[in-house]
Each structure stands twice: as structure tokens, then as C-alpha cells.
Amino acid sequence: MSATVIDGFAVAASVRAQVAESVAALREKGTHACLAVVLVGEDPASVSYVTGKAKALAEVGMLDRSVHLPADAAESELLALVASLNADPGVHGILVQLPLPKHINEAKVIMAIDPAKDVDGFHPVSVGNMVIGRPGFLPCTPHGVMVLLRRAGIETNGKHAVVVGRSNIVGKPVAILLAARQANATVTVCHTGTKDLASFTRQADILVAAAGKPRMITADMIKPGAAVIDVGVNRVEDPTAKKGFRLVGDVDFAPACEVASFITPVPRGVGPMTIAMLMENTLLAARRAAGEA
Ligand code: NDP
């Protein structure tokens, strides 16, 4: 068997194209969708994520009101900035890039964002709405996983989904969305306390790997014909690569392709969906502000 490789890059491009059309239509009615990304400091990974977001904003035709604060900015300065963005009717979405420098309390900052502008979906109000199935904002990576499954035509109804990882930003919300009535899967969540991980992963019709451990899911841990979604993004040393490293997922990709029916690659799998869903959430926030949703 050779798995169908799900092209997350192409799916994300098509989501962005749809968002761009809706942004233009909303603009004709007088609302120009706008996102403010707040970056504190110079963490290279964060700088690169923020650059990707700016590029996507330009591509979909949204306004970019991003702010870059120095690494030593006070927590009070960041909270005051969030308050001013909350109060600004021209800003529809606010995203504070994580992680924040150690002297700033992340939870306090996330809690300060107006839930109506919480396009990252990390505010407890957004999390609560997701859990009870009320409208809000879904977190971008888990939502991207669900859209990839849907677009690839992978049936979730009545299937057994196994999620490896229980973080607040990936594993836990993916499990909640898979178990929701719309997806209707039966879900098992695995973590470092799970004994005999392979005995669970081998039962998965849908396996979502979100542990952040390079190639930990080997082919023998996958049920033949399973759909495998690899959320992991891990740097491994590679002297042949220009930067001295390359990115791999949590799944041992090539051997897994021989067992799975569908699989997402790393890169160009789940990764590009995260920014595409952020664009979709910002559009939704702008439509709600305009009374259209
Ligand atoms: P965290 O480190 O916060 O969480 C990892 C989870 O995996 C934890 O729940 C941990 O268990 C579990 N875990 C770790 N090792 C094992 C193991 N050996 N067996 C079973 N469970 C294990 O990571 P994130 O959730 O933030 O991210 C996960 C991966 O996804 C990372 O590679 C990250 O880079 C990537 N990512 C990709 C995104 C994208 O856009 N594609 C976005 C966000 C993340 P425990 O709770 O017991 O510690």
C-alpha cells in the first residue's frame, strides 16, 4: 500500500483564496478586516511565524496592524497595548505571539484579550465555547486538522481516533473537535502517562500525532489503512542541509506511507493550515463586528 499524501499547502492556499474573496466583498460593504499580531522580543521561530502571518495578511487583502515590542517591554506595557487594541473598532483580531519573555505572565495577557477578537482561540471563553459547541473561535492548528480531514474526504463518523498529545494548543482541542457531534469519532487521548502507546495507536482509524518527538510513530504502530495526521514539527540535525538541520514530523514518514491510507507530510502538511485558519478566524471576527455573522 502507498498512502495518499495530503497536500496541506494546496488546501491552505485554497482556504486563503476563499478568504480573500470574502475580504474583498466585506470591504465593498465598508468593513476592512484587520488583524494585529503582537510580537515581544526577537525569538527567531516567533519572528519567522510573524513574518508568515504578515505575508498571508497581504495575500488575502487584510489590514495588518502588527506591533513589535522590545524583549524587555514591561507586562504593563503589553497589557495597555492589548487594551488599546481591544478598544479600537478598526481592529477585528488580536494575536499575541507565544511564547512571551519569562517576565511576562502569558495567562494574564491571553485573559486580557477581548474574546470577540480572540482569533487564536486561546482565551478561556473561546475554549469554553468550543467545548460546549457554541460559536466562538476555534484554535487554528486543531481547526486546520479538522479541515484537512474533511477536504481529504476522510470519514470521522463512528471511527476510532487516537490523539497522541494533550497540550492546550493542539492535543486537547483536537480531541474535543473529533469527539464533537459534527465529527462523531470515538476518541482516545494518549500522553506520557500512557502505558504501551503502540497498543492504542494500532487501534486508530485516524491517528493524530502531536507529541513533538521526531519520528516517534513508527510504521509498526499504525493500523493498516489508517489516516495519519502529523502535527509535529521537529528540527533534526542534517549536515547535508543548508541550515544544518531539517524539519521532520512525529511520524516516521516513508515507512508509514507503506501502511497508512492517508498521511500528511512535514513540512507542507498541517503547518500551512494554521495560518490559513487564522485568516479565516479574522474574517469571521470582522464579519461579526459588521453584524454579518
Ligand atoms: P507540547 O510539548 O506542549 O505537548 C506535547 C504533548 O505530547 C504532551 O501532552 C506530552 O504528554 C505528549 N508526549 C510527549 N512525548 C510523548 C511520548 N513519548 N508518548 C506519549 N505522549 C507524549 O507540544 P505542542 O502540543 O505545543 O506541540 C506538539 C507538536 O506540534 C510540536 O512538534 C510542535 O512543534 C507542533 N506544532 C505544530 C503546529 C503547526 O502549525 N503545525 C502548531 C503547534 C504545534 P504530557 O502531557 O504527559 O507531557
Side-chain angles (χ1 to χ4, degrees):
M1 185 187 291
S2 190
T4 300
V5 177
I6 300 172
D7 185 348
F9 193 78
V11 177
S14 99
V15 170
R16 289 198 305 273
Q18 281 170 349
V19 170
E21 271 181 35
S22 304
V23 167
L26 191 62
R27 201 174 167 186
E28 282 190 5
K29 294 182 197 158
T31 301
H32 197 174
C34 170
L35 174 68
V37 177
V38 179
L39 172 65
V40 184
E42 306 288 343
D43 172 65
S46 295
V47 169
S48 131
Y49 293 141
V50 169
T51 308
K53 285 163 189 169
K55 213 174 125 207
L57 283 173
E59 191 192 323
V60 301
M62 286 187 195
L63 285 175
D64 183 349
R65 287 274 306 276
S66 297
V67 183
H68 191 169
L69 295 179
D72 60 356
E75 183 182 282
S76 56
E77 190 184 344
L78 178 56
L79 289 171
L81 172 63
V82 169
S84 76
L85 294 169
N86 282 342
D88 187 338
V91 173
H92 304 108
I94 302 168
L95 180 151
V96 177
Q97 185 65 48
L98 303 178
L100 288 168
K102 296 255 178 303
H103 65 281
I104 297 178
N105 181 334
E106 265 181 22
K108 204 165 162 187
V109 174
I110 291 170
M111 295 279 276
I113 297 171
D114 178 351
K117 300 189 179 188
D118 177 38
V119 288
D120 231 357
F122 292 165
H123 191 288
V125 167
S126 304
V127 178
N129 282 330
M130 173 184 66
V131 172
I132 61 175
R134 274 176 52 86
F137 294 107
L138 298 179
C140 300
T141 302
H143 192 194
V145 167
M146 299 307 292
V147 171
L148 274 186
L149 288 169
R150 214 175 306 134
R151 295 271 185 117
I154 295 163
E155 182 63 80
T156 52
N157 187 5
K159 302 295 181 189
H160 184 193
V162 175
V163 180
V164 184
R166 60 173 163 190
S167 74
N168 287 339
I169 63 166
V170 191
K172 223 180 275 174
V174 164
I176 287 163
L177 294 174
L178 282 164
R181 199 169 283 281
Q182 294 94 315
N184 222 25
T186 302
V187 180
T188 301
V189 180
C190 299
H191 42 75
T192 56
T194 302
K195 291 200 171 71
D196 193 7
L197 178 66
S199 70
F200 292 96
T201 59
R202 274 192 213 110
Q203 294 177 44
D205 302 309
I206 298 165
L207 178 59
V208 181
K213 294 281 178 288
R215 303 190 187 105
M216 69 168 280
I217 305 290
T218 48
D220 60 312
M221 295 170 75
I222 299 170
K223 176 178 171 178
V228 179
I229 307 293
D230 191 354
V231 186
V233 179
N234 310 292
R235 277 185 181 195
V236 292
E237 276 184 33
D238 180 355
T240 67
K242 225 193 298 173
K243 293 179 179 163
F245 69 87
R246 65 195 177 93
L247 297 179
V248 300
D250 287 356
V251 178
D252 194 9
F253 184 75
C257 284
E258 298 305 313
V259 185
S261 61
F262 289 90
I263 191 164
T264 61
V266 178
R268 296 175 77 95
V270 174
M273 292 301 291
T274 300
I275 290 184
M277 302 327 292
L278 174 66
M279 297 299 114
E280 205 175 85
N281 274 355
T282 306
L283 169 65
L284 181 60
R287 292 185 63 223
R288 284 181 184 152
E292 288 218 351

